[in-house]
Amino acid sequence: MNTIFKKMVQKAQNRCLPFKITVELNRSCNLRCRHCYHGPFDQHFLPREKLQNIFAALAEAGTLELTFTGGEIFTHPELIDIITDARKAYFDVTFISNLTLAGEEEIARLAALGVRLVRTSLYFATPQKHDTFVGEPGAFAATVNALKLLKKYGIKSKVQVMLLEENIAELAALEELCQKLGATCAGVYFMDPTNQLSEAPLAEVPTLKTLNSTRKLWQNSSFIGWMNTRSLGPDLCGAATMSAFIDADGLLWPCINWPKAAGSLLETPFKELWNSPVMQEARRLIKGPTPCHSCEKRRFCLPCLGLNYKMGGGVNHPYPPRCRQAAIYQAAIAASGA
């Protein structure tokens, strides 16, 4: 994040402006990734007509960046038209996709529209292992091909690599692959429970035993070690102060993990919901202080007060699996000398 952008984000947060909004366009997906928090999957989606009204309200409120997610957004029947509308409203557009359904025609159109960044995921450098993990033969090849097309058409890409018990030995190979594809490589370190509060995805997280036994394979990569050197600000996140989440039903939430919605944007103006009691409560609670703000393991954690609230009954009750994983990363980094 460059200095100018950082200043813009900080000013938005200080003034409580909805700088960055994530929009869930639909709940359908062509993959069934083992760790996915989503579900149940269905064919429901936000229609273009409703989104046009939402875009107008967001523009008036001062939103600059829109991130589209799903489900898998390329299963939305009006995706290109929706992104066209967003760009006509001068939003900075990014999106999250598995890219398996994105062909050259779609990517060329997205480039012409000025989409800035696409985020996707690769879980293994071995195609068969990746395809097994996401439940779809040929998924690895399709995602890699789309990443090549993004590079060809000049759209920036970021590959989010979820650290798993089974893929630690492939981290260096994944990093090398991303470099060849012209994509930024970023680690994702913590699993979340599903929307139904199942903790099954947490079974995928790496153990300290695995991290220690594979230290030579990840020690010189960009993964894990960065935690020890990153700078920490006073704020845990920007939820409800400069960012928010809109789901496929049109409900506005402080963030994807917050257990209370502010209300429906299909029924209530955005400005009214942005200043609603739910959003005001979220701002007050997220500002702290909470145990997560002062925790000695914070450097090795990505605290989520929404997750605390949803799983533990309040923001002052840190989610134990997140704490345990932070401790594992702290111990692994200490043992590596990073």
Side-chain angles (χ1 to χ4, degrees):
M1 190 185 296
N2 63 46
T3 302
I4 294 176
F5 193 74
K6 282 183 178 178
K7 289 181 178 179
M8 291 172 65
V9 170
Q10 192 59 57
K11 284 186 177 181
Q13 196 157 0
N14 292 341
R15 298 178 184 180
C16 205
L17 296 174
F19 181 86
K20 179 178 180 179
I21 302 293
T22 299
V23 182
E24 180 187 61
L25 294 179
N26 57 298
R27 288 196 291 261
S28 60
C29 187
N30 61 315
L31 303 184
R32 291 296 182 266
C33 302
R34 272 201 332 235
H35 72 298
C36 188
Y37 69 86
H38 223 305
F41 294 100
D42 58 42
Q43 299 304 309
H44 183 76
F45 62 87
L46 270 173
R48 180 188 184 189
E49 179 184 1
K50 301 294 185 182
L51 282 164
Q52 286 174 330
N53 296 332
I54 292 173
F55 291 166
L58 292 176
E60 183 181 356
T63 299
L64 176 64
E65 181 180 326
L66 286 183
T67 296
F68 294 119
T69 187
E72 169 46 50
I73 64 171
F74 278 93
T75 65
H76 194 297
E78 301 173 299
L79 175 63
I80 301 298
D81 291 331
I82 288 168
I83 293 178
T84 299
D85 293 338
R87 291 295 295 136
K88 284 182 178 178
Y90 300 104
F91 291 115
D92 174 33
V93 173
T94 74
F95 66 80
I96 302 168
S97 166
N98 63 49
L99 292 177
T100 57
L101 303 176
E104 184 158 8
E105 180 181 353
E106 290 84 3
I107 289 175
R109 292 184 67 183
L110 294 173
L113 288 169
V115 169
R116 177 174 61 86
L117 174 69
V118 174
R119 283 180 281 166
T120 191
S121 295
L122 289 173
Y123 302 102
F124 294 87
T126 308
Q128 184 178 1
K129 289 181 180 179
H130 175 90
D131 292 352
T132 298
F133 187 80
V134 304
E136 181 65 27
F140 180 91
T143 299
V144 167
N145 182 64
L147 285 165
K148 292 177 180 177
L149 290 171
L150 289 171
K151 181 180 180 180
K152 174 182 176 180
Y153 285 96
I155 301 177
K156 292 181 179 180
S157 59
K158 177 180 285 189
V159 175
Q160 300 181 146
V161 178
M162 177 68 72
L163 270 69
L164 308 168
E165 175 73 5
E166 296 178 15
N167 75 355
I168 295 297
E170 298 197 23
L171 291 183
L174 278 165
E175 187 174 37
E176 183 179 353
L177 175 61
C178 290
Q179 290 174 352
K180 289 180 179 179
L181 294 170
T184 302
C185 190
V188 180
Y189 303 90
F190 297 92
M191 294 285 184
D192 285 346
T194 69
N195 290 344
Q196 289 74 46
L197 307 186
S198 167
E199 295 184 329
L202 276 60
E204 307 289 345
V205 300
T207 62
L208 180 58
K209 180 180 179 181
T210 297
L211 289 171
N212 283 338
S213 65
T214 59
R215 186 179 306 139
K216 291 182 180 179
L217 298 174
W218 58 259
Q219 191 167 7
N220 295 323
S221 72
S222 62
F223 297 101
I224 303 178
W226 69 275
M227 290 183 174
N228 205 31
T229 58
R230 66 182 176 137
S231 59
L232 299 174
D235 301 314
L236 295 182
C237 71
T241 57
M242 53 77 68
S243 64
F245 177 72
I246 299 171
D247 72 14
D249 293 311
L251 296 176
L252 179 69
W253 304 76
C255 72
I256 194 170
N257 275 323
W258 203 260
K260 297 179 183 179
S264 173
L265 289 169
L266 307 184
E267 301 171 357
T268 309
F270 175 82
K271 285 187 176 180
E272 184 175 332
L273 293 183
W274 182 248
N275 295 302
S276 66
V278 167
M279 300 300 275
Q280 291 179 23
E281 178 197 39
R283 288 173 198 135
R284 177 179 59 81
L285 294 174
I286 289 171
K287 186 176 181 180
T290 70
C292 287
H293 283 82
S294 56
C295 180
E296 62 178 11
K297 293 182 177 62
R298 183 182 164 193
R299 181 174 299 282
F300 309 95
C301 187
L302 294 177
C304 178
L305 298 185
L307 190 61
N308 293 354
Y309 201 167
K310 181 168 68 175
M311 300 300 292
V315 297
N316 290 311
H317 296 83
Y319 183 47
R322 182 67 57 98
C323 300
R324 289 194 293 269
Q325 195 61 30
I328 286 173
Y329 287 131
Q330 183 181 24
I333 291 169
S336 73

